[in-house]
């Protein structure tokens, strides 16, 4: 099935087009007719373990994903991967690697999301022949939205040519000046598109629109924001950020959601002005702010649970807490803990009907996103 991301992103994000059904490009006259229908059909054809595997994303080498690693991932029914680490191979060798990943991890007719971090500057994971050098987000923020939209479409097409179906970008974090460089996770690396929510909102919208038109799914991050964080969640346990529930700094996320970004990555930091919990374990953040306040109906993906900020909880406990709070897909670049998480979710779903219903909804949400991205054959 060809990717139809630019046509039906609105369906995933909860916006129903006014176009009559007869004119809608994704209608298929025989059999399945909508992404939701395709998702249900795929769900019904999967085993319980395969379904739960759709909720996890593991790391694999961006330069040499080994057959042994892929075999273990398949045995655990892991449904999605991120290409971990930097690669200068270029588009064609990357596409070969992704084809091997697809072949190993496709479950029935369901292909994996293959993700990368392609923001620009120091956070451009894929380089080499066929990949244009990308300026930092701060430099991208100085472009007009129309120019940035065009360039984002070009960068997205390069990812699509390499087989990448999901970009874990753009950053919707706003880092205030004049001391932006003191912000460890974002400002230190010029990952912000500007220093005011309005500027960041305009540029994030342009990137979402541009890359989405290339056929690559995009991800807003790191909700509800790391632009004023006290440290880096990768390295520090108790990182805090002052964002409030109805904060002006949420504007870039709101605009990106309105532009139909299908994924939002949730932060691992704590928010004392919300409820003090890590955002990934906060029902108020995930269900209250993201689902209710901003109306997001797509996939909520975690930042990597390999980070120090969430290592205080055992992997099994962390996974159950995350999905109970409202998460949809859990990312962990370290594979052994991820396998323990998958087992814990499977056991909990078998013993709790209410948790099982949550998981069913999450799996269908992921499968709808895959239908829109053309990953259901």
């Amino acid at each position: 099935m060809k990717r139809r991301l630019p046509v039906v992103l609105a369906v995933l994000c909860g916006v129903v087009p006014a176009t009559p059904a007869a004119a809608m490009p994704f209608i298929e006259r025989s059999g399945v007719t909508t992404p939701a229908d395709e998702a249900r059909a795929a769900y019904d054809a999967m085993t319980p373990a395969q379904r739960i595997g759709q909720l996890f994303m593991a790391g694999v080498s961006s330069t040499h994903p080994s057959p042994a690693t892929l075999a273990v991932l398949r045995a655990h029914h892991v449904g999605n991967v991120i290409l971990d680490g930097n690669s200068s191979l270029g588009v064609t060798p990357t596409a070969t690697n992704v084809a091997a990943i697809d072949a190993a991890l496709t479950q029935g007719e369901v292909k994996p999301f293959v993700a990368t971090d392609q923001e620009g500057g120091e956070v451009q994971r894929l380089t080499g022949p066929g990949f244009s050098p990308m300026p930092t987000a701060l430099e991208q923020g100085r472009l007009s939205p129309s120019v940035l939209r065009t360039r984002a479409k070009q960068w997205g097409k390069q990812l699509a040519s390499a087989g990448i179906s999901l970009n874990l970008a753009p950053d919707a974090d706003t880092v205030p000046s004049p001391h932006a460089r003191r912000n460890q996770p974002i400002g230190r690396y010029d990952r912000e598109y500007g220093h005011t929510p309005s500027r960041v909102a305009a540029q994030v919208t342009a990137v979402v629109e541009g890359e989405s038109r290339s056929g690559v799914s995009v991800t807003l991050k790191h909700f509800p924001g790391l632009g004023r964080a006290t440290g880096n969640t990768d390295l520090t346990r108790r990182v805090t950020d002052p964002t409030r529930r109805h904060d002006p700094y949420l504007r870039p996320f709101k605009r990106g959601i309105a532009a139909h970004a299908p994924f939002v990555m949730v932060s691992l930091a704590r928010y004392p002005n919300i409820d003090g919990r890590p955002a990934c374990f906060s029902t108020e953040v995930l269900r209250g702010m993201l689902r209710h306040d901003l109306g997001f109906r797509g996939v909520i993906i975690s930042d990597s649970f390999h980070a120090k900020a969430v290592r205080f909880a055992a992997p099994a406990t962390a996974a159950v807490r995350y999905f109970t709070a409202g998460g949809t897909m859990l990312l962990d670049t370290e594979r052994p803990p991820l396998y323990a998480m998958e087992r814990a979710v499977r056991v909990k779903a078998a013993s709790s009907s209410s948790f099982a219903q949550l998981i069913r909804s999450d799996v269908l949400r992921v499968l709808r996103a895959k239908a829109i991205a053309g990953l259901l054959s």
Side-chain angles (χ1 to χ4, degrees):
M1 178 181 299
K2 295 181 179 179
R3 290 182 183 172
R4 55 195 182 201
L5 191 63
V7 179
V8 294
L9 265 175
V11 176
L12 177 63
C13 299
V15 180
V16 180
T19 310
M24 295 177 75
F26 64 80
I27 292 293
E28 297 173 9
R29 295 301 177 184
S30 60
V32 175
T33 58
T34 70
D37 291 333
E38 291 182 45
R40 285 190 292 269
Y43 182 94
D44 290 343
M46 302 178 90
T47 68
Q50 288 173 334
R51 293 167 184 163
I52 288 175
Q54 293 298 305
L55 305 182
F56 291 90
M57 178 177 285
V60 298
S61 170
S62 61
T63 56
H64 52 277
S66 73
T69 295
L70 296 179
V72 173
L73 289 174
R74 182 174 181 85
H76 286 274
H77 308 290
V78 174
N80 310 281
V81 298
I82 179 172
L83 299 184
D84 199 17
N86 295 332
S87 167
S88 58
L89 293 176
V91 167
T92 300
T94 301
T96 300
N97 286 339
V98 172
I101 292 169
D102 282 343
L105 300 186
T106 296
Q107 306 281 351
E109 297 183 345
V110 182
K111 295 180 180 179
F113 272 115
V114 179
T116 190
D117 285 304
Q118 198 83 334
E119 300 175 18
E122 292 189 47
V123 191
Q124 180 179 356
R125 300 304 180 202
L126 304 180
T127 60
F131 290 116
S132 300
M134 296 174 62
T136 67
L138 193 58
E139 293 175 285
Q140 294 175 40
R142 300 187 182 109
L143 302 172
S144 71
S146 62
V147 170
L148 181 56
R149 187 180 300 109
T150 298
R151 294 192 181 180
K153 182 178 179 180
Q154 174 191 359
W155 297 327
K157 284 183 175 179
Q158 293 168 358
L159 291 176
S161 295
I164 302 299
S165 47
L166 176 63
N167 191 10
L168 299 182
D171 280 32
D173 307 291
T174 302
V175 185
S177 59
H179 304 297
R181 283 282 180 161
R182 295 181 183 177
N183 175 261
Q184 293 300 304
I186 310 300
R188 180 181 179 182
Y189 304 102
D190 293 341
R191 298 171 70 189
E192 75 276 27
Y193 289 93
H195 302 302
T196 65
S198 59
R199 183 62 177 175
V200 175
Q203 303 307 87
V204 162
T205 301
V207 173
V208 169
E209 292 174 345
E211 287 201 19
S212 295
R213 291 170 185 173
S214 72
V216 173
S217 298
V218 297
T219 308
L220 302 173
K221 62 186 187 184
H222 307 80
F223 190 83
L226 286 176
R228 294 169 287 174
T230 58
N232 189 330
T233 54
D234 290 340
L235 307 173
T236 306
R237 176 174 170 179
R238 296 190 68 88
V239 175
T240 63
D241 184 283
T243 300
R244 298 176 181 272
R245 178 153 183 174
H246 300 288
D247 201 298
Y249 277 62
L250 295 173
R251 184 177 179 183
F253 292 99
K254 183 176 181 179
R255 287 281 302 277
I257 289 168
H260 309 312
F263 279 69
V264 171
M265 176 179 285
V266 63
S267 160
L268 309 181
R270 297 171 184 264
Y271 296 82
N273 293 325
I274 299 173
D275 62 8
R277 298 186 181 95
C280 59
F281 299 142
S282 171
T283 300
E284 185 169 356
V285 169
L286 300 184
R287 299 190 189 279
M289 295 173 64
L290 192 47
R291 295 290 191 210
H292 180 269
D293 296 352
L294 300 188
F296 181 63
R297 296 179 63 184
V299 175
I300 300 174
I301 185 171
S302 73
D303 206 344
S304 177
F305 270 37
H306 181 55
K308 190 170 183 178
V310 292
R311 287 188 201 164
F312 65 90
T317 301
V320 172
R321 286 183 65 184
Y322 173 65
F323 289 110
T324 300
T328 315
M329 185 182 291
L330 192 154
L331 165 63
D332 196 319
T333 52
E334 290 295 304
R335 291 184 296 275
L338 186 139
Y339 304 147
M341 294 176 187
E342 185 273 333
R343 286 194 298 272
V345 170
R346 184 156 31 92
V347 169
K348 180 70 174 179
S351 64
S352 168
S353 59
S354 59
F355 187 77
Q357 185 58 41
L358 286 178
I359 293 303
R360 180 180 185 276
S361 297
D362 288 339
V363 175
L364 287 171
R365 199 183 299 270
V366 170
L367 292 174
R368 283 197 299 272
K370 288 191 173 186
I372 289 170
L375 300 178
L376 303 185
S377 56

